[in-house]
Every structure is written in C-alpha cells, then in structure tokens.
Amino acid sequence: MDGLVKSEFRKLFTTNLWWALLIPVALLSFGASWMGTGFGYMSSIEQEIGRPLPLGLLTMSMSTNFSTIFAGLVGALAFAGEYRNKSITTTYLTGNPRGAVLGAKLIAYTNLGLLYGLVNVLSASLGAIAGAGLDGFGEGPDWLIVCAAGLLAMVLWTLLGVGFGALVANPVIVIIVLLVYKFVFEFIVDLFLVGSDASGVSAYLPGAAGSGIVGNLAVPIFISATAGPDEQYVPQGLFEVLHFVFGGSYGHPWWLSMLTFAGYAALFVLGGWYFSGRRDIT
C-alpha cells in the first residue's frame, strides 16, 4: 500500500493540474474575503456600536464556498484524468486490486485537500486584513474554529471529487456536472423550494450542506459576537440575509451539514469503488 500511495503522490505532483487549480483558490479566496468585508451597511453598524465587527468570520465562509469547487475538480480528475490519458490501465495492472488504488488516491488527495484548505485559509485571512484590518478577525478561538471548518470542507469536497471521478470516469462530464450543479442547478432548485413546505430540503442538498460546514458556524458566531447579550432580539431575517450571502442555512447546525456532506462523499466513493472495479480497461 505504501508503494501505491507514493505512486499517487508522484503522479499528482509531477503534473501541472494541482497548482493550476490552486492559483484560483488563492486569488478567489483573497478577493472574496476582501470584497466581503464591504458587504451592505457593515461600516455604519460598526460606527453605531462603536467597535469593529468580526467580518473575517463571514468572509472565511464566503471564500471557502467559492474555492471548494476547485478541490472537487482536482479530486474528480484523479481518476477521470487517468482514463483520458489511458494511464489507468498501467495503474490497475500494477496496483491490483483496484480497491487498493482507490484507497491510495483517497490518502494522497486528502493531503492535497489539506493543502488547498491551508491556502484558502491564509488567502482569506489576508483578504480580511486588507478589507477590515486586524480587528476584523474577532476572538482568536472563534477564528480558529471557523478556519478548521474551512479545512474540513475543502478535504471533504476533494474526497467527494475523487469518488465522483471514479464513478463517472470521463473528465469532460465530471467538470461540467460539478460546475453546473454547484452554480446553476442547485440555485434553481432553491428558487422553486423557497416558500414551499419542502423548503427545508434545501439544507440537505450537496451544495448547501457543503457551504453549511463553515456558514452555519460563521454566521451564528458573528451574530453572537456582534449582538452580545441582545442576541435573542436579532430578527430571523438578518440571519437569513447573512446566510444567503455568506453560506449556510438558518437554524441548521454546522455538524449536521458536515455529516450530510460527508454522507454524499461516502456515497460517491462507494459508487466509484463499485463501478471502477467492474469497468473494462484497454
């Protein structure tokens, strides 16, 4: 197994894909965090309460929600890319059984997901500093908790991508499906569900669950840090607006979002294991 893992790391870091997709993670995380500090009337609220707001907590959620798609894409191409260039044949012949190959890829890409998560955290932190200064981080423990959630979200998206790529095994399809689902399909579904009896289903969809890992931590912590003892009087509408902009769902705990998304990731990994073990190679 050690040999397979080392082989996966070599294949990963001897290609340009990992750093080509890491660049937009850094740029988007920084940009989203920087622009997020200027959301709405935050500056006037700061003047009213007489102290800086921990906007960095919210912008970390926004940055992570933009960046996780690249972790999903790089994970999906772990298998789909090998099917495209036909190296999957050699991989399976030298790494029998096929399940061991999947296991080695999951180990290698978990580490890559951590790298993507660290770049996201650092870039988002710099963006928050650029937009709100050092005072925009809030309490140290709160910031660390939100950053840890961002790392976890990035790793889970990477693993979901690996499973999805093993399941589909076509690079064009996996790229199109991931992009269209995350940015188009689920948004349309949410619009249809708004105001209906089934509106609560939205929080359990993959995209919402993924964004809720950080958003459902960051927004409540932000409200609590801002309102203090008056938190109970904060209207639900403010929660919903912040969740709409920065991710997550009102009244939905972050750990449930994490378990929901982890369930999707596990489902795709199991599906990828089943179908990749029965797929013909040439």
Coordinates of all heavy atoms in Angstrom, one line a residue, residues 74-159:
V74 N -10.2 19.0 -8.8 CA -8.9 18.3 -8.8 C -9.0 16.9 -8.3 O -8.4 15.9 -8.8 CB -7.8 19.1 -8.0 CG1 -8.1 18.9 -6.5 CG2 -6.4 18.6 -8.3
G75 N -9.9 16.6 -7.4 CA -10.2 15.3 -6.9 C -10.9 14.4 -8.0 O -10.5 13.3 -8.1
A76 N -11.8 15.0 -8.7 CA -12.5 14.3 -9.7 C -11.6 13.8 -10.8 O -11.8 12.8 -11.4 CB -13.7 15.1 -10.3
L77 N -10.6 14.7 -11.1 CA -9.7 14.3 -12.2 C -8.6 13.3 -11.8 O -7.8 12.9 -12.6 CB -9.1 15.6 -12.8 CG -10.0 16.5 -13.5 CD1 -9.4 17.9 -13.8 CD2 -10.6 15.9 -14.7
A78 N -8.6 12.9 -10.5 CA -7.7 11.9 -10.1 C -7.9 10.6 -10.9 O -6.9 9.9 -11.3 CB -7.9 11.6 -8.6
F79 N -9.2 10.2 -11.1 CA -9.5 9.0 -11.9 C -9.8 9.4 -13.3 O -9.3 8.8 -14.2 CB -10.7 8.3 -11.3 CG -10.3 7.2 -10.3 CD1 -10.4 7.5 -8.9 CD2 -9.8 6.0 -10.7 CE1 -10.1 6.5 -8.0 CE2 -9.4 5.0 -9.8 CZ -9.6 5.3 -8.4
A80 N -10.7 10.4 -13.5 CA -11.1 10.7 -14.8 C -9.9 11.1 -15.7 O -9.9 10.8 -16.9 CB -12.1 11.9 -14.8
G81 N -8.9 11.8 -15.2 CA -7.8 12.2 -15.9 C -7.0 11.0 -16.4 O -6.4 10.9 -17.5
E82 N -6.9 9.9 -15.5 CA -6.2 8.7 -15.9 C -6.9 8.0 -17.0 O -6.3 7.3 -17.9 CB -6.0 7.8 -14.7 CG -4.9 8.4 -13.7 CD -4.1 7.3 -13.1 OE1 -3.5 6.4 -13.8 OE2 -4.1 7.2 -11.8
Y83 N -8.2 8.0 -17.0 CA -9.0 7.3 -18.1 C -8.8 8.1 -19.4 O -8.8 7.5 -20.5 CB -10.5 7.3 -17.7 CG -10.8 6.1 -16.8 CD1 -10.9 6.2 -15.5 CD2 -11.1 4.9 -17.4 CE1 -11.3 5.2 -14.7 CE2 -11.4 3.8 -16.6 CZ -11.5 3.9 -15.2 OH -11.8 2.8 -14.4
R84 N -8.6 9.4 -19.3 CA -8.4 10.2 -20.5 C -7.1 9.9 -21.2 O -7.0 9.7 -22.4 CB -8.5 11.7 -20.2 CG -8.3 12.6 -21.3 CD -8.0 14.0 -20.9 NE -6.8 14.1 -20.0 CZ -6.6 15.1 -19.2 NH1 -7.4 16.1 -19.1 NH2 -5.5 15.0 -18.4
N85 N -6.0 9.8 -20.4 CA -4.7 9.6 -21.0 C -4.3 8.1 -21.0 O -3.1 7.8 -21.3 CB -3.7 10.5 -20.3 CG -3.6 10.2 -18.8 OD1 -3.8 9.0 -18.3 ND2 -3.3 11.2 -18.0
K86 N -5.2 7.3 -20.6 CA -5.0 5.8 -20.7 C -4.0 5.2 -19.7 O -3.7 4.1 -19.8 CB -4.6 5.4 -22.1 CG -5.5 5.8 -23.2 CD -6.9 5.2 -23.1 CE -7.8 5.7 -24.3 NZ -9.2 5.1 -24.1
S87 N -3.6 6.1 -18.8 CA -2.6 5.5 -17.8 C -3.3 4.7 -16.7 O -2.7 4.0 -15.9 CB -1.9 6.7 -17.1 OG -2.8 7.5 -16.4
I88 N -4.7 4.7 -16.7 CA -5.4 3.9 -15.7 C -5.1 2.4 -15.9 O -5.1 1.6 -15.0 CB -6.9 4.2 -15.9 CG1 -7.7 3.6 -14.7 CG2 -7.5 3.6 -17.2 CD1 -7.3 4.2 -13.3
T89 N -4.8 2.0 -17.2 CA -4.5 0.6 -17.4 C -3.3 0.1 -16.7 O -3.3 -0.9 -16.0 CB -4.3 0.3 -18.9 OG1 -5.5 0.7 -19.7 CG2 -4.1 -1.1 -19.2
T90 N -2.2 0.9 -16.8 CA -1.0 0.6 -16.1 C -1.2 0.7 -14.6 O -0.7 -0.2 -13.8 CB 0.1 1.6 -16.5 OG1 0.3 1.5 -17.9 CG2 1.4 1.2 -15.8
T91 N -2.0 1.7 -14.1 CA -2.2 1.8 -12.7 C -2.9 0.6 -12.1 O -2.5 0.1 -11.1 CB -3.1 3.1 -12.5 OG1 -2.4 4.2 -12.9 CG2 -3.5 3.2 -11.0
Y92 N -3.9 0.1 -12.8 CA -4.6 -1.1 -12.3 C -3.8 -2.4 -12.4 O -3.9 -3.3 -11.6 CB -6.0 -1.3 -13.1 CG -7.1 -0.4 -12.6 CD1 -8.1 0.1 -13.4 CD2 -7.1 0.0 -11.2 CE1 -9.1 0.9 -13.0 CE2 -8.1 0.8 -10.8 CZ -9.1 1.3 -11.6 OH -10.2 2.1 -11.2
L93 N -3.0 -2.5 -13.5 CA -2.2 -3.7 -13.6 C -1.1 -3.8 -12.6 O -0.7 -4.9 -12.1 CB -1.6 -3.7 -15.0 CG -2.6 -4.0 -16.2 CD1 -1.9 -3.9 -17.5 CD2 -3.3 -5.3 -16.0
T94 N -0.6 -2.6 -12.2 CA 0.5 -2.6 -11.2 C 0.0 -2.4 -9.8 O 0.7 -2.6 -8.8 CB 1.5 -1.5 -11.5 OG1 0.8 -0.3 -11.5 CG2 2.2 -1.8 -12.8
G95 N -1.3 -2.1 -9.6 CA -1.8 -1.8 -8.3 C -3.0 -2.7 -8.0 O -3.9 -2.2 -7.3
N96 N -3.1 -3.9 -8.4 CA -4.2 -4.8 -8.1 C -4.2 -5.1 -6.6 O -3.1 -5.3 -6.0 CB -4.0 -6.1 -9.0 CG -5.2 -6.9 -9.0 OD1 -6.3 -6.5 -9.2 ND2 -5.0 -8.2 -8.7
P97 N -5.4 -5.2 -6.0 CA -6.7 -5.0 -6.5 C -7.1 -3.5 -6.7 O -6.4 -2.6 -6.2 CB -7.6 -5.6 -5.4 CG -6.9 -5.3 -4.2 CD -5.4 -5.5 -4.5
R98 N -8.1 -3.3 -7.5 CA -8.5 -1.9 -7.8 C -8.9 -1.1 -6.6 O -8.7 0.1 -6.6 CB -9.6 -1.9 -8.9 CG -9.2 -2.5 -10.2 CD -10.3 -2.4 -11.2 NE -9.9 -3.0 -12.5 CZ -10.6 -2.9 -13.6 NH1 -11.8 -2.2 -13.6 NH2 -10.2 -3.5 -14.7
G99 N -9.5 -1.7 -5.6 CA -9.8 -1.0 -4.4 C -8.7 -0.4 -3.7 O -8.8 0.7 -3.1
A100 N -7.5 -1.1 -3.8 CA -6.3 -0.5 -3.2 C -5.9 0.8 -3.9 O -5.3 1.7 -3.3 CB -5.1 -1.5 -3.2
V101 N -6.1 0.9 -5.2 CA -5.8 2.1 -6.0 C -6.7 3.2 -5.5 O -6.2 4.3 -5.3 CB -6.0 1.8 -7.5 CG1 -5.8 3.1 -8.3 CG2 -5.0 0.8 -8.0
L102 N -7.9 2.9 -5.3 CA -8.8 4.0 -4.8 C -8.4 4.4 -3.4 O -8.4 5.6 -3.1 CB -10.3 3.4 -4.7 CG -11.3 4.3 -4.1 CD1 -11.4 5.6 -4.9 CD2 -12.7 3.6 -4.1
G103 N -8.0 3.5 -2.6 CA -7.6 3.8 -1.2 C -6.3 4.7 -1.2 O -6.2 5.7 -0.5
A104 N -5.4 4.4 -2.1 CA -4.2 5.2 -2.2 C -4.5 6.6 -2.7 O -3.9 7.6 -2.3 CB -3.2 4.5 -3.2
K105 N -5.4 6.7 -3.7 CA -5.8 8.0 -4.2 C -6.5 8.8 -3.1 O -6.3 10.1 -3.0 CB -6.7 7.9 -5.4 CG -6.0 7.5 -6.7 CD -6.9 7.5 -7.9 CE -6.2 7.0 -9.1 NZ -5.2 8.0 -9.6
L106 N -7.3 8.2 -2.3 CA -8.0 8.9 -1.2 C -7.0 9.5 -0.2 O -7.2 10.6 0.3 CB -9.0 8.0 -0.5 CG -10.2 7.6 -1.3 CD1 -11.1 6.6 -0.5 CD2 -11.1 8.8 -1.6
I107 N -6.0 8.7 0.1 CA -4.9 9.2 1.0 C -4.2 10.3 0.5 O -4.0 11.4 1.1 CB -4.0 8.0 1.4 CG1 -4.7 6.9 2.2 CG2 -2.8 8.5 2.2 CD1 -3.9 5.7 2.4
A108 N -3.7 10.2 -0.8 CA -3.0 11.3 -1.4 C -3.8 12.5 -1.6 O -3.3 13.6 -1.3 CB -2.5 10.8 -2.8
Y109 N -5.1 12.4 -2.0 CA -5.9 13.6 -2.2 C -6.4 14.2 -0.9 O -6.8 15.4 -0.9 CB -7.0 13.3 -3.2 CG -6.4 13.3 -4.7 CD1 -5.8 12.2 -5.2 CD2 -6.5 14.4 -5.4 CE1 -5.2 12.2 -6.5 CE2 -6.0 14.4 -6.7 CZ -5.4 13.3 -7.2 OH -4.8 13.4 -8.5
T110 N -6.5 13.4 0.1 CA -6.8 14.0 1.4 C -5.7 15.0 1.8 O -6.0 16.1 2.3 CB -6.9 12.9 2.5 OG1 -8.0 12.1 2.3 CG2 -7.1 13.6 3.9
N111 N -4.5 14.7 1.6 CA -3.4 15.6 1.8 C -3.4 16.8 0.9 O -3.1 17.9 1.3 CB -2.0 14.9 1.7 CG -1.7 13.9 2.8 OD1 -1.2 14.4 3.8 ND2 -2.1 12.7 2.7
L112 N -3.8 16.6 -0.4 CA -3.9 17.7 -1.3 C -5.0 18.6 -0.8 O -4.9 19.8 -0.9 CB -4.1 17.2 -2.7 CG -4.2 18.3 -3.8 CD1 -2.9 19.0 -3.9 CD2 -4.6 17.7 -5.1
G113 N -6.1 18.0 -0.4 CA -7.2 18.8 0.1 C -6.8 19.7 1.3 O -7.3 20.8 1.4
L114 N -6.0 19.2 2.2 CA -5.5 20.0 3.3 C -4.6 21.1 2.8 O -4.7 22.2 3.3 CB -4.6 19.1 4.2 CG -5.4 18.1 5.1 CD1 -4.4 17.2 5.9 CD2 -6.2 18.9 6.2
L115 N -3.8 20.9 1.8 CA -3.0 21.9 1.2 C -3.9 23.0 0.6 O -3.7 24.2 0.8 CB -2.1 21.4 0.1 CG -1.3 22.4 -0.7 CD1 -0.4 23.2 0.2 CD2 -0.5 21.7 -1.9
Y116 N -5.0 22.6 -0.1 CA -5.9 23.6 -0.7 C -6.6 24.4 0.4 O -6.8 25.6 0.3 CB -6.9 22.9 -1.6 CG -6.5 22.7 -3.0 CD1 -5.3 22.1 -3.3 CD2 -7.4 23.1 -4.0 CE1 -4.9 22.0 -4.6 CE2 -7.0 22.9 -5.4 CZ -5.8 22.4 -5.7 OH -5.4 22.2 -7.0
G117 N -6.9 23.7 1.5 CA -7.6 24.3 2.6 C -6.7 25.3 3.3 O -7.1 26.4 3.7
L118 N -5.4 25.0 3.5 CA -4.5 25.9 4.1 C -4.3 27.2 3.2 O -4.2 28.3 3.7 CB -3.1 25.2 4.3 CG -3.0 24.2 5.4 CD1 -1.7 23.5 5.4 CD2 -3.2 24.9 6.8
V119 N -4.2 27.0 1.9 CA -4.0 28.2 1.0 C -5.3 29.0 1.1 O -5.2 30.3 1.1 CB -3.8 27.7 -0.4 CG1 -3.9 28.9 -1.4 CG2 -2.4 27.0 -0.5
N120 N -6.5 28.4 1.2 CA -7.7 29.1 1.3 C -7.7 29.9 2.6 O -8.1 31.1 2.6 CB -8.9 28.1 1.2 CG -10.2 28.8 1.6 OD1 -10.6 29.7 1.0 ND2 -10.8 28.2 2.7
V121 N -7.4 29.3 3.7 CA -7.4 30.0 5.0 C -6.4 31.2 5.0 O -6.8 32.3 5.4 CB -7.0 29.0 6.1 CG1 -6.7 29.7 7.4 CG2 -8.2 28.0 6.3
L122 N -5.2 31.0 4.5 CA -4.2 32.0 4.5 C -4.6 33.2 3.6 O -4.5 34.4 3.9 CB -2.9 31.5 4.1 CG -2.2 30.5 5.1 CD1 -0.9 29.9 4.5 CD2 -1.9 31.2 6.4
S123 N -5.1 32.8 2.4 CA -5.5 33.9 1.4 C -6.8 34.7 2.0 O -6.8 35.9 1.8 CB -5.9 33.3 0.1 OG -4.7 32.6 -0.5
A124 N -7.7 33.9 2.5 CA -8.9 34.6 3.1 C -8.5 35.5 4.3 O -9.1 36.6 4.4 CB -9.9 33.6 3.5
S125 N -7.6 35.0 5.1 CA -7.1 35.9 6.2 C -6.5 37.1 5.7 O -6.7 38.2 6.3 CB -6.1 35.1 7.0 OG -6.7 33.9 7.6
L126 N -5.6 37.0 4.7 CA -5.0 38.2 4.1 C -6.1 39.2 3.5 O -6.0 40.4 3.7 CB -4.0 37.8 3.1 CG -2.7 37.1 3.6 CD1 -1.9 36.7 2.4 CD2 -1.9 38.1 4.5
G127 N -7.1 38.6 2.9 CA -8.1 39.4 2.3 C -8.9 40.1 3.4 O -9.3 41.3 3.2
A128 N -9.2 39.5 4.5 CA -9.9 40.1 5.6 C -9.0 41.2 6.3 O -9.6 42.3 6.6 CB -10.2 39.0 6.7
I129 N -7.7 41.0 6.3 CA -6.9 42.0 6.9 C -6.9 43.3 5.9 O -7.0 44.4 6.4 CB -5.4 41.5 7.0 CG1 -5.4 40.5 8.1 CG2 -4.5 42.7 7.3 CD1 -4.0 39.8 8.3
A130 N -6.8 43.0 4.6 CA -6.8 44.1 3.7 C -8.1 44.9 3.7 O -8.1 46.1 3.5 CB -6.6 43.5 2.2
G131 N -9.2 44.2 4.0 CA -10.5 44.9 4.0 C -11.0 45.4 5.3 O -11.6 46.5 5.4
A132 N -10.6 44.7 6.4 CA -11.1 45.2 7.7 C -10.0 45.4 8.7 O -10.3 45.8 9.9 CB -12.1 44.1 8.2
G133 N -8.8 45.1 8.4 CA -7.7 45.2 9.4 C -7.7 44.1 10.3 O -8.5 43.2 10.3
L134 N -6.7 44.1 11.2 CA -6.6 43.0 12.2 C -7.7 42.9 13.1 O -8.0 41.8 13.7 CB -5.3 43.2 13.0 CG -4.0 43.1 12.2 CD1 -2.8 43.5 13.1 CD2 -3.8 41.6 11.7
D135 N -8.5 44.0 13.3 CA -9.6 43.9 14.2 C -10.8 43.1 13.7 O -11.8 42.8 14.4 CB -10.1 45.3 14.5 CG -9.1 46.1 15.4 OD1 -8.4 45.5 16.1 OD2 -9.1 47.4 15.2
G136 N -10.7 42.8 12.4 CA -11.8 42.1 11.7 C -11.8 40.6 11.9 O -12.7 39.9 11.4
F137 N -10.9 40.1 12.7 CA -10.8 38.6 13.0 C -11.7 38.1 14.1 O -12.0 37.0 14.2 CB -9.4 38.2 13.2 CG -8.5 38.2 12.0 CD1 -7.8 39.3 11.6 CD2 -8.4 37.0 11.2 CE1 -7.0 39.3 10.5 CE2 -7.6 37.0 10.1 CZ -6.9 38.1 9.7
G138 N -12.1 39.1 15.0 CA -12.9 38.6 16.2 C -12.0 38.0 17.2 O -10.7 38.1 17.2
E139 N -12.6 37.2 18.1 CA -11.8 36.4 19.1 C -11.0 35.3 18.4 O -11.5 34.7 17.5 CB -12.8 35.8 20.1 CG -13.6 36.9 20.9 CD -12.7 37.7 21.8 OE1 -11.6 37.2 22.2 OE2 -13.0 38.8 22.1
G140 N -9.8 35.1 18.9 CA -8.9 34.1 18.4 C -9.5 32.7 18.2 O -9.4 32.1 17.2
P141 N -10.1 32.2 19.3 CA -10.7 30.9 19.2 C -11.8 30.8 18.2 O -11.9 29.7 17.5 CB -11.2 30.6 20.7 CG -10.4 31.5 21.5 CD -10.1 32.7 20.7
D142 N -12.6 31.8 18.1 CA -13.7 31.8 17.0 C -13.1 31.7 15.6 O -13.5 30.9 14.8 CB -14.5 33.0 17.1 CG -15.4 33.1 18.4 OD1 -15.6 32.0 19.0 OD2 -15.8 34.2 18.8
W143 N -12.0 32.5 15.4 CA -11.4 32.5 14.1 C -10.8 31.1 13.8 O -10.9 30.6 12.7 CB -10.3 33.5 14.0 CG -9.5 33.6 12.8 CD1 -8.2 33.3 12.5 CD2 -10.1 34.0 11.5 NE1 -7.9 33.4 11.2 CE2 -9.0 33.8 10.5 CE3 -11.3 34.4 11.0 CZ2 -9.1 34.1 9.2 CZ3 -11.5 34.7 9.7 CH2 -10.4 34.6 8.8
L144 N -10.1 30.5 14.8 CA -9.5 29.2 14.6 C -10.6 28.1 14.3 O -10.3 27.2 13.5 CB -8.7 28.8 15.8 CG -7.4 29.6 16.1 CD1 -6.8 29.2 17.4 CD2 -6.4 29.4 14.9
I145 N -11.7 28.2 15.0 CA -12.8 27.2 14.7 C -13.3 27.3 13.3 O -13.5 26.3 12.6 CB -13.9 27.4 15.8 CG1 -13.5 27.0 17.2 CG2 -15.2 26.7 15.4 CD1 -14.4 27.4 18.3
V146 N -13.5 28.6 12.9 CA -14.0 28.8 11.5 C -13.0 28.3 10.5 O -13.3 27.7 9.5 CB -14.4 30.2 11.3 CG1 -14.8 30.5 9.8 CG2 -15.6 30.6 12.2
C147 N -11.7 28.6 10.7 CA -10.7 28.1 9.8 C -10.6 26.6 9.8 O -10.4 26.0 8.7 CB -9.3 28.7 10.3 SG -9.1 30.4 10.0
A148 N -10.7 26.0 10.9 CA -10.7 24.5 10.9 C -11.9 23.9 10.1 O -11.7 22.9 9.4 CB -10.8 24.0 12.4
A149 N -13.0 24.6 10.2 CA -14.2 24.1 9.4 C -13.9 24.3 8.0 O -14.3 23.5 7.1 CB -15.4 24.9 9.8
G150 N -13.2 25.4 7.6 CA -12.8 25.6 6.2 C -11.9 24.5 5.7 O -12.1 24.0 4.6
L151 N -11.0 24.1 6.5 CA -10.1 23.0 6.1 C -10.9 21.7 5.9 O -10.7 21.0 4.9 CB -9.0 22.7 7.2 CG -7.9 23.8 7.3 CD1 -7.0 23.4 8.6 CD2 -7.0 23.7 6.1
L152 N -11.8 21.4 6.8 CA -12.6 20.2 6.7 C -13.5 20.2 5.5 O -13.6 19.2 4.8 CB -13.5 20.1 8.0 CG -14.5 18.9 8.0 CD1 -13.7 17.6 8.0 CD2 -15.3 19.0 9.3
A153 N -14.1 21.4 5.2 CA -14.9 21.5 4.0 C -14.1 21.2 2.7 O -14.5 20.5 1.8 CB -15.6 22.8 3.9
M154 N -12.9 21.7 2.7 CA -12.0 21.5 1.5 C -11.6 20.1 1.3 O -11.7 19.5 0.2 CB -10.8 22.4 1.6 CG -10.1 22.6 0.3 SD -10.9 23.7 -0.8 CE -10.7 25.3 -0.1
V155 N -11.3 19.4 2.4 CA -10.9 18.0 2.3 C -12.1 17.1 1.9 O -12.0 16.3 1.0 CB -10.4 17.5 3.7 CG1 -10.3 16.0 3.7 CG2 -9.1 18.1 4.0
L156 N -13.3 17.4 2.4 CA -14.5 16.6 2.1 C -14.9 16.8 0.6 O -15.3 15.9 -0.1 CB -15.7 17.0 3.0 CG -15.6 16.5 4.4 CD1 -16.7 17.0 5.2 CD2 -15.5 14.9 4.4
W157 N -14.7 18.1 0.1 CA -15.0 18.3 -1.3 C -14.0 17.5 -2.2 O -14.4 17.0 -3.3 CB -14.9 19.8 -1.6 CG -16.3 20.5 -1.6 CD1 -16.8 21.2 -0.5 CD2 -17.3 20.5 -2.6 NE1 -18.0 21.7 -0.8 CE2 -18.3 21.3 -2.1 CE3 -17.3 20.0 -3.9 CZ2 -19.5 21.5 -2.9 CZ3 -18.5 20.2 -4.7 CH2 -19.5 21.0 -4.1
T158 N -12.8 17.5 -1.8 CA -11.8 16.7 -2.5 C -12.1 15.3 -2.6 O -12.0 14.6 -3.7 CB -10.4 16.9 -1.9 OG1 -10.1 18.3 -1.8 CG2 -9.3 16.3 -2.8
L159 N -12.5 14.7 -1.5 CA -12.8 13.3 -1.4 C -14.1 13.0 -2.2 O -14.2 12.0 -2.9 CB -13.0 12.8 0.0 CG -11.8 12.9 0.9 CD1 -12.1 12.4 2.3 CD2 -10.6 12.1 0.3

